[in-house]
Amino acid sequence: MKLIDFVIGALLINAMPHFIFGITKTHFLGLFGFSSKGNIYYALVQFILGIGLFCNQYGFSKFFENGFIIGGLTVMFLYFIFGKFLLNKFQLKNPAHNK
């Protein structure tokens, strides 16, 4: 394993929880502070950097040949597309919880 592979994996994996913290409005420290928008922006920056490093290291053609990358990105894209909808649909409707 090369160090660049570790960095690419760390960036892509760390983007997911920051995005989830952002859409759930959970205050969690990221590069851009504790805000939900800051966490979403931080997730996007990490995602773009991770994909950019992968394409720079291995080329764009290898992108579609790597099952780990495709699987992880599929889950991430599904969160980007459906995350807010699923959160609103399945969030607890307990009045005591919302106080």
Side-chain angles (χ1 to χ4, degrees), residues 32-66:
F32 303 118
F34 286 100
S35 71
S36 59
K37 285 184 182 181
N39 275 299
I40 291 172
Y41 293 143
Y42 186 44
L44 289 173
V45 166
Q46 290 183 97
F47 178 75
I48 292 168
L49 281 173
I51 297 300
L53 286 173
F54 182 88
C55 289
N56 185 46
Q57 180 70 22
Y58 299 108
F60 190 71
S61 63
K62 295 288 184 186
F63 184 79
F64 296 105
E65 297 175 11
N66 190 318

Short mmCIF file of all heavy atoms in Angstrom, two decimals, residues 32-66:
data_model
loop_
_atom_site.label_atom_id
_atom_site.label_comp_id
_atom_site.label_asym_id
_atom_site.label_seq_id
_atom_site.Cartn_x
_atom_site.Cartn_y
_atom_site.Cartn_z
N PHE A 32 -14.38 23.85 8.60
CA PHE A 32 -15.06 25.14 8.50
C PHE A 32 -15.94 25.43 9.72
O PHE A 32 -16.93 26.14 9.63
CB PHE A 32 -15.89 25.19 7.22
CG PHE A 32 -15.09 24.95 5.98
CD1 PHE A 32 -15.36 23.87 5.16
CD2 PHE A 32 -14.04 25.79 5.64
CE1 PHE A 32 -14.61 23.65 4.02
CE2 PHE A 32 -13.28 25.56 4.51
CZ PHE A 32 -13.57 24.49 3.69
N GLY A 33 -15.61 24.87 10.86
CA GLY A 33 -16.32 25.17 12.09
C GLY A 33 -17.35 24.12 12.47
O GLY A 33 -17.34 23.00 11.97
N PHE A 34 -18.26 24.51 13.38
CA PHE A 34 -19.26 23.60 13.93
C PHE A 34 -20.58 23.61 13.17
O PHE A 34 -21.45 22.82 13.47
CB PHE A 34 -19.56 23.98 15.39
CG PHE A 34 -18.47 23.60 16.35
CD1 PHE A 34 -17.57 24.55 16.79
CD2 PHE A 34 -18.36 22.31 16.81
CE1 PHE A 34 -16.58 24.21 17.68
CE2 PHE A 34 -17.37 21.96 17.71
CZ PHE A 34 -16.47 22.91 18.15
N SER A 35 -20.75 24.48 12.22
CA SER A 35 -22.06 24.63 11.58
C SER A 35 -22.39 23.47 10.66
O SER A 35 -21.51 22.76 10.18
CB SER A 35 -22.11 25.94 10.79
OG SER A 35 -21.30 25.86 9.65
N SER A 36 -23.68 23.31 10.39
CA SER A 36 -24.09 22.24 9.49
C SER A 36 -23.62 22.52 8.06
O SER A 36 -23.16 21.61 7.37
CB SER A 36 -25.61 22.06 9.52
OG SER A 36 -26.26 23.25 9.16
N LYS A 37 -23.71 23.77 7.62
CA LYS A 37 -23.21 24.11 6.28
C LYS A 37 -21.71 23.91 6.19
O LYS A 37 -21.19 23.47 5.17
CB LYS A 37 -23.57 25.55 5.92
CG LYS A 37 -25.01 25.74 5.57
CD LYS A 37 -25.27 27.16 5.13
CE LYS A 37 -26.74 27.35 4.82
NZ LYS A 37 -27.03 28.71 4.37
N GLY A 38 -21.00 24.23 7.26
CA GLY A 38 -19.56 24.02 7.28
C GLY A 38 -19.19 22.55 7.12
O GLY A 38 -18.23 22.21 6.42
N ASN A 39 -19.95 21.67 7.76
CA ASN A 39 -19.70 20.24 7.62
C ASN A 39 -20.01 19.75 6.20
O ASN A 39 -19.30 18.90 5.67
CB ASN A 39 -20.49 19.44 8.65
CG ASN A 39 -19.77 19.35 9.96
OD1 ASN A 39 -18.67 18.82 10.04
ND2 ASN A 39 -20.37 19.88 11.00
N ILE A 40 -21.07 20.26 5.60
CA ILE A 40 -21.39 19.88 4.22
C ILE A 40 -20.28 20.35 3.28
O ILE A 40 -19.83 19.60 2.41
CB ILE A 40 -22.77 20.43 3.81
CG1 ILE A 40 -23.86 19.70 4.60
CG2 ILE A 40 -22.99 20.27 2.31
CD1 ILE A 40 -25.24 20.26 4.42
N TYR A 41 -19.82 21.58 3.44
CA TYR A 41 -18.73 22.09 2.59
C TYR A 41 -17.45 21.30 2.80
O TYR A 41 -16.73 20.99 1.86
CB TYR A 41 -18.48 23.57 2.85
CG TYR A 41 -19.61 24.47 2.41
CD1 TYR A 41 -19.95 25.60 3.15
CD2 TYR A 41 -20.34 24.20 1.27
CE1 TYR A 41 -20.98 26.42 2.77
CE2 TYR A 41 -21.38 25.03 0.88
CZ TYR A 41 -21.69 26.14 1.63
OH TYR A 41 -22.72 26.95 1.24
N TYR A 42 -17.18 20.95 4.05
CA TYR A 42 -15.99 20.15 4.35
C TYR A 42 -16.07 18.78 3.69
O TYR A 42 -15.09 18.28 3.14
CB TYR A 42 -15.84 20.04 5.86
CG TYR A 42 -14.57 19.36 6.33
CD1 TYR A 42 -13.34 19.65 5.76
CD2 TYR A 42 -14.61 18.44 7.36
CE1 TYR A 42 -12.19 19.03 6.21
CE2 TYR A 42 -13.46 17.82 7.81
CZ TYR A 42 -12.25 18.12 7.23
OH TYR A 42 -11.11 17.51 7.67
N ALA A 43 -17.25 18.18 3.71
CA ALA A 43 -17.44 16.89 3.05
C ALA A 43 -17.21 17.01 1.55
O ALA A 43 -16.55 16.16 0.94
CB ALA A 43 -18.84 16.35 3.34
N LEU A 44 -17.73 18.07 0.95
CA LEU A 44 -17.54 18.26 -0.49
C LEU A 44 -16.07 18.48 -0.85
O LEU A 44 -15.58 17.94 -1.84
CB LEU A 44 -18.39 19.43 -0.99
CG LEU A 44 -19.89 19.18 -1.02
CD1 LEU A 44 -20.63 20.46 -1.37
CD2 LEU A 44 -20.22 18.10 -2.01
N VAL A 45 -15.36 19.25 -0.02
CA VAL A 45 -13.93 19.48 -0.27
C VAL A 45 -13.16 18.17 -0.19
O VAL A 45 -12.33 17.86 -1.06
CB VAL A 45 -13.37 20.53 0.72
CG1 VAL A 45 -11.86 20.54 0.72
CG2 VAL A 45 -13.92 21.90 0.41
N GLN A 46 -13.44 17.37 0.84
CA GLN A 46 -12.75 16.08 0.98
C GLN A 46 -13.08 15.15 -0.18
O GLN A 46 -12.20 14.45 -0.70
CB GLN A 46 -13.15 15.41 2.29
CG GLN A 46 -12.60 16.12 3.50
CD GLN A 46 -12.97 15.38 4.75
OE1 GLN A 46 -12.16 14.61 5.24
NE2 GLN A 46 -14.18 15.57 5.23
N PHE A 47 -14.33 15.13 -0.59
CA PHE A 47 -14.76 14.28 -1.69
C PHE A 47 -14.04 14.66 -2.98
O PHE A 47 -13.49 13.81 -3.68
CB PHE A 47 -16.28 14.40 -1.85
CG PHE A 47 -16.84 13.61 -2.98
CD1 PHE A 47 -16.97 12.24 -2.88
CD2 PHE A 47 -17.25 14.24 -4.14
CE1 PHE A 47 -17.49 11.51 -3.92
CE2 PHE A 47 -17.77 13.52 -5.19
CZ PHE A 47 -17.91 12.14 -5.07
N ILE A 48 -14.01 15.93 -3.28
CA ILE A 48 -13.36 16.41 -4.51
C ILE A 48 -11.86 16.15 -4.46
O ILE A 48 -11.26 15.71 -5.45
CB ILE A 48 -13.67 17.91 -4.74
CG1 ILE A 48 -15.16 18.07 -5.08
CG2 ILE A 48 -12.79 18.50 -5.83
CD1 ILE A 48 -15.65 19.49 -5.04
N LEU A 49 -11.23 16.39 -3.31
CA LEU A 49 -9.80 16.12 -3.17
C LEU A 49 -9.49 14.63 -3.33
O LEU A 49 -8.52 14.25 -4.00
CB LEU A 49 -9.28 16.61 -1.82
CG LEU A 49 -9.00 18.09 -1.69
CD1 LEU A 49 -8.65 18.43 -0.25
CD2 LEU A 49 -7.88 18.51 -2.62
N GLY A 50 -10.30 13.78 -2.71
CA GLY A 50 -10.08 12.33 -2.81
C GLY A 50 -10.20 11.82 -4.23
O GLY A 50 -9.35 11.06 -4.71
N ILE A 51 -11.24 12.26 -4.94
CA ILE A 51 -11.42 11.85 -6.33
C ILE A 51 -10.31 12.42 -7.20
O ILE A 51 -9.77 11.74 -8.08
CB ILE A 51 -12.80 12.29 -6.85
CG1 ILE A 51 -13.90 11.60 -6.06
CG2 ILE A 51 -12.95 12.02 -8.34
CD1 ILE A 51 -13.88 10.10 -6.13
N GLY A 52 -9.94 13.66 -6.96
CA GLY A 52 -8.86 14.29 -7.73
C GLY A 52 -7.53 13.58 -7.54
O GLY A 52 -6.80 13.33 -8.51
N LEU A 53 -7.21 13.22 -6.30
CA LEU A 53 -5.96 12.49 -6.04
C LEU A 53 -5.97 11.11 -6.69
O LEU A 53 -4.97 10.66 -7.24
CB LEU A 53 -5.73 12.36 -4.54
CG LEU A 53 -5.27 13.62 -3.81
CD1 LEU A 53 -5.25 13.37 -2.31
CD2 LEU A 53 -3.91 14.05 -4.30
N PHE A 54 -7.12 10.44 -6.63
CA PHE A 54 -7.22 9.12 -7.26
C PHE A 54 -6.99 9.22 -8.76
O PHE A 54 -6.23 8.44 -9.34
CB PHE A 54 -8.58 8.48 -6.97
CG PHE A 54 -8.70 7.10 -7.56
CD1 PHE A 54 -8.28 6.00 -6.83
CD2 PHE A 54 -9.23 6.90 -8.83
CE1 PHE A 54 -8.38 4.72 -7.37
CE2 PHE A 54 -9.32 5.64 -9.37
CZ PHE A 54 -8.90 4.54 -8.64
N CYS A 55 -7.67 10.17 -9.40
CA CYS A 55 -7.52 10.32 -10.86
C CYS A 55 -6.11 10.76 -11.23
O CYS A 55 -5.58 10.34 -12.26
CB CYS A 55 -8.56 11.31 -11.39
SG CYS A 55 -10.23 10.65 -11.35
N ASN A 56 -5.48 11.58 -10.40
CA ASN A 56 -4.11 12.01 -10.66
C ASN A 56 -3.13 10.84 -10.52
O ASN A 56 -2.20 10.72 -11.31
CB ASN A 56 -3.72 13.14 -9.71
CG ASN A 56 -2.36 13.70 -10.00
OD1 ASN A 56 -2.03 13.97 -11.15
ND2 ASN A 56 -1.56 13.88 -8.97
N GLN A 57 -3.35 10.00 -9.52
CA GLN A 57 -2.44 8.89 -9.26
C GLN A 57 -2.61 7.74 -10.26
O GLN A 57 -1.64 7.18 -10.74
CB GLN A 57 -2.65 8.36 -7.83
CG GLN A 57 -1.75 7.22 -7.44
CD GLN A 57 -0.30 7.63 -7.26
OE1 GLN A 57 0.01 8.79 -7.04
NE2 GLN A 57 0.58 6.67 -7.38
N TYR A 58 -3.86 7.39 -10.56
CA TYR A 58 -4.12 6.19 -11.36
C TYR A 58 -4.75 6.46 -12.71
O TYR A 58 -4.87 5.55 -13.52
CB TYR A 58 -5.02 5.23 -10.57
CG TYR A 58 -4.37 4.80 -9.28
CD1 TYR A 58 -4.82 5.28 -8.06
CD2 TYR A 58 -3.30 3.92 -9.28
CE1 TYR A 58 -4.23 4.89 -6.87
CE2 TYR A 58 -2.70 3.53 -8.10
CZ TYR A 58 -3.17 4.01 -6.90
OH TYR A 58 -2.57 3.62 -5.74
N GLY A 59 -5.19 7.66 -12.95
CA GLY A 59 -5.85 7.99 -14.21
C GLY A 59 -7.35 7.78 -14.11
O GLY A 59 -7.83 6.97 -13.33
N PHE A 60 -8.06 8.50 -14.92
CA PHE A 60 -9.52 8.45 -14.88
C PHE A 60 -10.05 7.09 -15.32
O PHE A 60 -11.09 6.63 -14.85
CB PHE A 60 -10.11 9.56 -15.75
CG PHE A 60 -11.58 9.73 -15.58
CD1 PHE A 60 -12.10 10.28 -14.41
CD2 PHE A 60 -12.46 9.34 -16.57
CE1 PHE A 60 -13.47 10.43 -14.24
CE2 PHE A 60 -13.83 9.49 -16.41
CZ PHE A 60 -14.33 10.03 -15.25
N SER A 61 -9.35 6.41 -16.22
CA SER A 61 -9.82 5.11 -16.71
C SER A 61 -9.84 4.05 -15.60
O SER A 61 -10.69 3.17 -15.60
CB SER A 61 -8.96 4.64 -17.88
OG SER A 61 -7.62 4.44 -17.45
N LYS A 62 -8.92 4.11 -14.65
CA LYS A 62 -8.88 3.16 -13.54
C LYS A 62 -10.00 3.40 -12.53
O LYS A 62 -10.31 2.53 -11.73
CB LYS A 62 -7.53 3.24 -12.81
CG LYS A 62 -6.37 2.82 -13.64
CD LYS A 62 -6.40 1.33 -13.86
CE LYS A 62 -5.15 0.92 -14.62
NZ LYS A 62 -5.16 -0.47 -15.00
N PHE A 63 -10.59 4.56 -12.59
CA PHE A 63 -11.65 4.93 -11.66
C PHE A 63 -12.80 3.93 -11.73
O PHE A 63 -13.34 3.51 -10.72
CB PHE A 63 -12.12 6.35 -12.00
CG PHE A 63 -13.14 6.91 -11.07
CD1 PHE A 63 -12.77 7.42 -9.84
CD2 PHE A 63 -14.47 6.94 -11.42
CE1 PHE A 63 -13.71 7.95 -8.98
CE2 PHE A 63 -15.42 7.45 -10.57
CZ PHE A 63 -15.03 7.96 -9.35
N PHE A 64 -13.18 3.54 -12.94
CA PHE A 64 -14.32 2.65 -13.13
C PHE A 64 -13.95 1.17 -13.00
O PHE A 64 -14.83 0.32 -13.07
CB PHE A 64 -14.98 2.92 -14.48
CG PHE A 64 -15.55 4.31 -14.56
CD1 PHE A 64 -14.91 5.30 -15.28
CD2 PHE A 64 -16.72 4.62 -13.88
CE1 PHE A 64 -15.44 6.57 -15.34
CE2 PHE A 64 -17.24 5.90 -13.92
CZ PHE A 64 -16.60 6.88 -14.67
N GLU A 65 -12.69 0.86 -12.82
CA GLU A 65 -12.25 -0.52 -12.65
C GLU A 65 -12.08 -0.90 -11.18
O GLU A 65 -11.86 -2.07 -10.88
CB GLU A 65 -10.92 -0.73 -13.38
CG GLU A 65 -11.00 -0.55 -14.87
CD GLU A 65 -9.65 -0.65 -15.56
OE1 GLU A 65 -8.67 -1.06 -14.91
OE2 GLU A 65 -9.58 -0.29 -16.73
N ASN A 66 -12.15 0.06 -10.28
CA ASN A 66 -11.92 -0.18 -8.86
C ASN A 66 -13.26 -0.36 -8.15
O ASN A 66 -14.02 0.59 -7.97
CB ASN A 66 -11.14 0.99 -8.26
CG ASN A 66 -10.65 0.71 -6.87
OD1 ASN A 66 -11.37 0.16 -6.06
ND2 ASN A 66 -9.41 1.09 -6.60
#
